[in-house]
Amino acid sequence: MKKISRSDLPRLFEALSQARRLYIPADDGSGQAKFLPYTPGMELTQNLNTVRSAKDLFFPQVENLLKFKVQGKQIEILDDRDPVEPFVIFGVRACDCRSFDVLDNVFLHAEPADTFYQARRENAVVMTLACNAPEETCFCTVFGIDPADPAGDVTMWQTKDTLYLRANTEKGAAVLDDLPLDDADDAAVAAQQAATREILKKLPLKDLDLNGFDHEHMLQKFNDPRWAQLSESCLGCGTCTFVCPTCQCYDIKEFNTGKEIQRFRCWDSCMYSDFTQMSAGQPRPTQKERFRQRFMHKLVYYPANNDGLYSCVGCGRCLQKCPIHMNIVKVIKTLGGECHDA
Amino acid sequence: MHEMIKAKAIELLESGCVNRVLGWKAGEFFYDLTPAVFTTREEIERDFVYSVFSAANLSKYLIAESRKEGKVAAFLKPCDSYSFQQLLKEHRIWRDNVYVVGIACDGMCDMDVIRDKGVKGVTAVHQDGENLKLETLYGTATMPKSDALPERCVHCKSHKVVVFDEMLGENGEENPDSGRFDEVERIEAMTPDERFAFWRKELSRCIRCNACRNVCPACSCEKCVFDNDKSGVAQKAAASDFEENNFHIIRAFHVASRCTDCGECSRVCPQKIPLHLLNRKFIRDINELYGTYQAGADMDTKPPLMDFTKGDAEPSVVYGRGGKQ
Amino acid sequence: MQVNETFTPTIVAFCCNWCSYAGADLSGTNRLSYPANVKIIRIPCSCRLNPMFILRAFQRGADGVILCGCHPGDCHYTTGNYYARRRMTLLFSMLDYLGIEKERTRVEWVSAAEGAKFAATMNDFAATVTKLGKNKRLEDLRCTK
């Protein structure tokens, strides 16, 4: 365990940004937080979490894949990917850190690996920050996440005036070696963890019941008539999808720049009416089917294919941001809990 | 007010006047109300909530609801009634299938505003006269209700419900001195460089979630131009600065002279982009160039962009206006 | 591109089929000259001009966009240009509000008989846009870089 005074954070950021590009959660100009490239003078946000999740840094909203140049009968294919340099993300919360596991299963562990995502993952050092003050919308503990002891290459805790750091991996240890840190014992961290865990007991959503969201009850959940009522006021916007740390759907599109064709990919949302549009039309014709798809994917299909790992991490972003306040918690509460055989 | 509205909903349902009621449904917390259709007395008694968090404008749902079998009762706040009437004017809502209950409103609170004031982890709220008592995970807090109001309510244009079959509470008055154009004027007074920097900072946060469009009562096209794959616009991707500007300029333009300034776009924006400032710019220009006009205020006047006079200002009028150089 | 003297702007002129397009033709048959970098796009009426056309022209490298239509009162379809006039006024005002140089957009009424006015308008507009330089604020970096 290492430590540094919180008043020395600027010094820490300077040191961290020497060797690598550093991202910290800071004010994006609207009073909300976003992971931004560190520049001198930038301060760590006071908010618990960012609006856009840390997945941005591994799976950006828009990225170029390649370019085509057509000359006569020749088609030239040019690599158009942005170069990836080593970087470090400071202050990732436990929920977002778990989301990397979810994304890894999709982009790395399935064949073939997504080389764009892979390059960023390999070049990144994740420094997580334990939560001291969870909000009412937090329910990561439901998915077995411990916000008082997050994973990552380095885990950090904040007390009133000190930041504690513990390396979990070799990559993390190598980063800490270069930093102006003092040795510390575990006592203060243990006390902070105990305090956080007291608050966790008071979280209103801590007892969500996920019983029945599994492979065996797939059809029962799919055919549940209550999807109609749950989805009736859904606007079909993509807010929940785009703030979600685990949503990983994308579309591949082409843009004619006038000189060449640029192929890029961009996040897509299963809530959109043209999602997975095919020549025969949309396979999910109404908002009910689209809405159902999103939650079935998170709570049933994904865990069925990934050893029971839910693709929700309980960060609460969709609870705060949905324009009509319909969210995964309401879905779980409405459809969960009862395990009749289908 | 809550009890009165609930009783009215039950009365309308049980008298057979309507066969369903459009309102707000209780959520996990006190503030996360969801628009919902109620069909039984039990549902209304259990779930119907009208509170300072019933902010969602229900008018747009009536486009679909009014086309269904039977009559639906809708509770409309002053803002919502302007949107409703504008949709009536555009023949988007079938008036005969809606029973409108107007409700007086003195501002809806916004959880984001409360969070911005530094109160976090709020688990319950009680309204105590002009104050909100907030219970949080970290103790209790009190704030005046006026501190929890979003911009659109602080600068409320009208407390008047403009169309109703029945009114609950006393109908209010229009508020011509709302000061809602102050911010527009402040931006207009900037230099072009400052204006460009201001809007780039705001619009660059856009994540193209389309919430502003989908919630907007004026955006009622069956198929949006931005959902047309063949139009060449990047649709869901904020692929470049241009795409962000393009989307927001065109969206504001498409609703110009039909936008009632209900403020839903800014309420739902997850990135807190002050989108209403684009719409208000059009409203202000229209007022100045073509005479004061309020969309949704009546059924008779023509929207200024569907009208003209022979003596209209030439587009070159713009060269002589706008801010420092 | 950086040095203004050597900068030749790209100008897109949307011309109404019934007047300005013929006006452009007349200026040609009269051997009047206007800049070769003015690209004319024929539209059936000035009110056909969708505001997105203007933005797309800027996206694709235009440095100035001008709309030419029939004089108010002379619209082939009676009232089209009156609607166009309101729309363009509001659109230009909005572009100005977003900090985009308002001199980059213009509307001129040019009849089929006004070949000289067409040439003069284009010369004047090209000079104005040349002074402003390259369009930076509404460009799409994917197209221009």
Side-chain angles (χ1 to χ4, degrees):
Chain A
M1 189 74 69
K2 302 278 186 186
K3 69 173 180 183
I4 185 169
S5 164
R6 281 175 67 178
S7 58
D8 276 341
L9 272 181
R11 207 154 61 90
L12 179 73
F13 292 149
E14 276 313 313
L16 271 170
S17 59
Q18 287 306 313
R20 306 170 173 75
R21 186 178 279 260
L22 167 67
Y23 291 89
I24 69 167
D27 190 338
D28 69 355
S30 69
Q32 304 192 114
K34 182 186 179 189
F35 284 99
L36 293 170
Y38 175 76
T39 51
M42 194 180 265
E43 282 180 25
L44 204 60
T45 177
Q46 295 298 308
N47 295 359
L48 178 71
N49 219 339
T50 53
V51 176
R52 301 173 65 146
S53 80
K55 87 172 171 191
D56 273 26
L57 296 168
F58 298 115
F59 174 46
Q61 182 162 18
V62 181
E63 76 180 309
N64 293 333
L65 303 179
L66 48 89
K67 274 182 184 172
F68 307 98
K69 238 183 176 139
V70 184
Q71 269 166 335
K73 288 189 174 173
Q74 291 284 316
I75 296 181
E76 199 183 344
I77 298 175
L78 305 166
D79 193 353
D80 193 28
R81 63 175 75 200
D82 298 323
V84 182
E85 286 160 5
F87 65 98
V88 51
I89 323 176
F90 183 98
V92 175
R93 295 295 182 182
C95 45
D96 279 10
C97 189
R98 164 69 68 82
S99 81
F100 305 152
D101 296 342
V102 175
L103 298 175
D104 283 354
N105 281 343
V106 176
F107 290 121
L108 292 185
H109 303 155
E111 288 292 325
D114 183 301
T115 54
F116 295 84
Y117 179 84
Q118 191 174 31
R120 296 199 180 86
R121 280 293 270 155
E122 283 168 358
N123 272 290
V125 177
V126 175
M127 298 177 74
T128 57
L129 183 59
C131 301
N132 290 354
E135 295 199 13
E136 79 280 7
T137 49
C138 292
F139 56 107
C140 61
T141 53
V142 170
F143 300 101
I145 298 167
D146 184 358
D149 191 7
D153 297 309
V154 174
T155 305
M156 304 183 290
W157 293 266
Q158 281 191 104
T159 59
K160 194 162 169 289
D161 42 26
T162 311
L163 180 79
Y164 293 86
L165 306 92
R166 181 193 70 203
N168 302 327
T169 62
E170 275 177 33
K171 222 163 134 184
V175 169
L176 291 197
D177 277 348
D178 302 337
L179 298 176
L181 303 172
D182 303 321
D183 287 320
D185 60 35
D186 296 351
V189 167
Q192 183 56 55
Q193 285 181 314
T196 302
R197 287 182 180 133
E198 278 309 304
I199 299 162
L200 295 181
K201 287 183 199 159
K202 290 196 282 184
L203 289 186
L205 302 176
K206 67 178 189 323
D207 295 324
L208 273 186
D209 185 357
L210 290 165
N211 262 318
F213 289 102
D214 51 34
H215 188 73
E216 288 88 87
H217 298 86
M218 190 182 290
L219 272 180
Q220 182 210 341
K221 293 283 178 258
F222 186 86
N223 291 320
D224 197 301
R226 286 170 294 185
W227 287 113
Q229 160 225 325
L230 283 168
S231 63
E232 74 180 338
S233 49
C234 177
L235 298 170
C237 76
T239 305
C240 52
T241 335
F242 289 177
V243 299
C244 179
T246 68
C247 270
Q248 76 285 116
C249 290
Y250 59 84
D251 195 0
I252 293 182
K253 296 181 150 295
E254 271 140 20
F255 177 77
N256 184 348
T257 67
K259 298 188 273 292
E260 68 265 303
I261 308 291
Q262 194 162 45
R263 178 172 287 182
F264 65 100
R265 72 170 168 191
C266 59
W267 293 350
D268 204 345
S269 170
C270 50
M271 293 297 193
Y272 287 164
S273 58
D274 59 351
F275 181 70
T276 62
Q277 182 93 25
M278 297 178 287
S279 51
Q282 217 308 6
R284 303 183 192 93
T286 71
Q287 202 57 31
K288 184 190 123 181
E289 287 94 9
R290 295 170 207 142
F291 182 91
R292 177 174 64 191
Q293 164 65 19
R294 180 161 196 274
F295 297 103
M296 286 293 283
H297 188 201
K298 296 232 174 279
L299 297 169
V300 181
Y301 309 147
Y302 187 94
N305 292 322
N306 293 278
D307 304 321
L309 178 70
Y310 287 102
S311 86
C312 172
V313 295
C315 68
R317 287 183 175 92
C318 54
L319 274 67
Q320 294 196 2
K321 290 299 180 187
C322 174
I324 54 131
H325 297 293
M326 177 44 72
N327 52 54
I328 196 157
V329 166
K330 290 184 181 177
V331 170
I332 293 172
K333 286 211 170 176
T334 306
L335 302 179
E338 26 181 328
C339 278
H340 315 297
D341 286 326
Chain B
M1 197 68 170
H2 167 67
E3 289 309 322
M4 208 156 102
I5 290 174
K6 230 164 141 170
K8 177 54 68 184
I10 292 171
E11 179 201 314
L12 288 170
L13 201 60
E14 298 206 322
S15 70
C17 171
V18 299
N19 66 3
R20 61 206 194 282
V21 176
L22 180 62
W24 302 267
K25 187 176 175 175
E28 286 308 307
F29 307 103
F30 56 92
Y31 61 82
D32 56 339
L33 308 180
T34 299
V37 176
F38 300 83
T39 50
T40 65
R41 182 192 183 109
E42 293 69 42
E43 279 175 0
I44 294 174
E45 281 174 346
R46 192 180 62 229
D47 290 332
F48 193 108
V49 176
Y50 179 79
S51 76
V52 289
F53 290 97
S54 300
N57 181 344
L58 302 181
S59 305
K60 195 177 184 181
Y61 290 108
L62 292 167
I63 298 173
E65 282 304 321
S66 71
R67 284 167 165 73
K68 293 179 184 167
E69 189 72 29
K71 203 163 179 169
V72 57
F75 292 91
L76 301 183
K77 306 185 292 294
C79 287
D80 311 356
S81 75
Y82 281 83
S83 309
F84 179 78
Q85 182 145 272
Q86 181 61 29
L87 285 163
L88 283 181
K89 206 164 161 175
E90 294 167 12
H91 311 288
R92 300 290 284 130
I93 289 176
W94 296 6
R95 182 68 180 93
D96 292 347
N97 286 349
V98 187
Y99 187 86
V100 177
V101 184
I103 39 183
C105 167
D106 59 355
M108 288 285 144
C109 298
D110 190 304
M111 203 51 207
D112 273 338
V113 175
I114 294 175
R115 289 193 184 108
D116 281 353
K117 297 261 152 66
V119 187
K120 308 277 165 138
V122 186
T123 52
V125 69
H126 310 285
Q127 196 177 353
D128 180 15
E130 285 307 298
N131 283 317
L132 296 181
K133 285 193 168 164
L134 306 158
E135 286 173 28
T136 80
L137 293 166
Y138 307 100
T140 55
T142 309
M143 69 161 65
K145 186 193 159 201
S146 55
D147 278 3
L149 296 180
E151 200 278 345
R152 66 169 172 174
C153 296
V154 174
H155 298 291
C156 176
K157 66 176 182 290
S158 172
H159 292 98
K160 182 177 162 190
V161 179
V162 287
V163 52
F164 56 84
D165 295 307
E166 183 176 350
M167 185 72 206
L168 289 183
E170 184 137 352
N171 205 355
E173 292 296 323
E174 288 170 20
N175 180 19
D177 304 319
S178 63
R180 63 181 169 135
F181 296 118
D182 292 356
E183 186 66 8
V184 176
E185 283 165 30
R186 193 182 69 80
I187 297 168
E188 283 174 345
M190 295 176 180
T191 66
D193 289 351
E194 289 166 345
R195 288 200 292 271
F196 186 72
F198 173 86
W199 282 110
R200 206 76 289 286
K201 177 178 141 259
E202 298 296 341
L203 296 180
S204 64
R205 292 201 303 275
C206 176
I207 56 172
R208 284 305 295 275
C209 65
N210 290 314
C212 50
R213 177 193 71 183
N214 291 14
V215 80
C216 176
C219 272
S220 62
C221 293
E222 295 286 320
K223 176 107 182 155
C224 176
V225 59
F226 287 103
D227 280 345
N228 178 2
D229 204 20
K230 301 216 166 49
S231 72
V233 285
Q235 292 174 297
K236 45 214 160 196
S240 65
D241 292 359
F242 174 83
E243 294 287 357
E244 288 158 358
N245 288 337
N246 184 45
F247 175 74
H248 290 289
I249 294 171
I250 296 298
R251 205 193 81 76
F253 191 87
H254 282 187
V255 300
S257 89
R258 303 188 300 116
C259 165
T260 64
D261 199 12
C262 74
E264 284 286 273
C265 44
S266 293
R267 176 182 73 85
V268 302
C269 179
Q271 292 285 62
K272 294 196 187 167
I273 303 171
L275 295 164
H276 62 279
L277 294 177
L278 294 174
N279 299 322
R280 280 187 188 165
K281 169 64 178 167
F282 278 129
I283 296 173
R284 200 176 117 75
D285 276 349
I286 287 169
N287 287 349
E288 200 175 300
L289 294 166
Y290 311 123
T292 305
Y293 181 79
Q294 171 60 52
D298 60 65
M299 286 297 284
D300 319 311
T301 50
K302 265 187 169 177
L305 275 178
M306 292 170 208
D307 199 10
F308 64 86
T309 66
K310 290 184 174 164
D312 279 343
E314 290 293 325
S316 57
V317 68
V318 175
Y319 302 142
R321 299 156 89 227
K324 294 177 277 187
Q325 288 305 314
Chain C
M1 294 279 171
Q2 285 82 3
V3 189
N4 250 2
E5 286 109 70
T6 60
F7 167 65
T8 314
T10 303
I11 289 171
V12 174
F14 290 98
C15 294
C16 165
N17 174 55
W18 301 103
C19 53
S20 316
Y21 193 75
D25 205 21
L26 183 64
S27 83
T29 47
N30 284 347
R31 313 242 163 219
L32 298 168
S33 73
Y34 63 89
N37 47 319
V38 174
K39 323 268 186 208
I40 295 178
I41 298 178
R42 180 165 66 151
I43 49 177
C45 175
S46 52
C47 87
R48 172 63 183 93
L49 189 64
N50 182 329
M52 214 190 302
F53 292 180
I54 297 182
L55 300 186
R56 306 289 239 131
F58 283 121
Q59 176 190 25
R60 297 276 164 187
D63 302 302
V65 177
I66 183 166
L67 167 66
C68 297
C70 307
H71 286 268
D74 290 348
C75 177
H76 183 78
Y77 306 99
T78 319
T79 56
N81 51 5
Y82 286 122
Y83 293 102
R85 183 161 69 175
R86 282 200 171 189
R87 286 178 205 156
M88 291 308 122
T89 307
L90 290 178
L91 180 71
F92 294 178
S93 180
M94 176 54 81
L95 293 179
D96 176 45
Y97 185 61
L98 275 106
I100 293 150
E101 303 92 335
K102 51 194 169 208
E103 294 84 3
R104 284 194 195 280
T105 44
R106 188 183 287 191
V107 172
E108 284 291 344
W109 312 122
V110 179
S111 79
E114 293 176 319
K117 183 178 181 187
F118 184 87
T121 300
M122 291 304 150
N123 282 317
D124 181 61
F125 188 54
T128 308
V129 177
T130 306
K131 251 184 251 157
L132 288 172
K134 188 104 196 84
N135 156 41
K136 284 280 169 205
R137 297 193 167 169
L138 265 182
E139 74 179 345
D140 193 325
L141 284 174
R142 296 176 299 177
C143 300
T144 53
K145 115 184 134 185

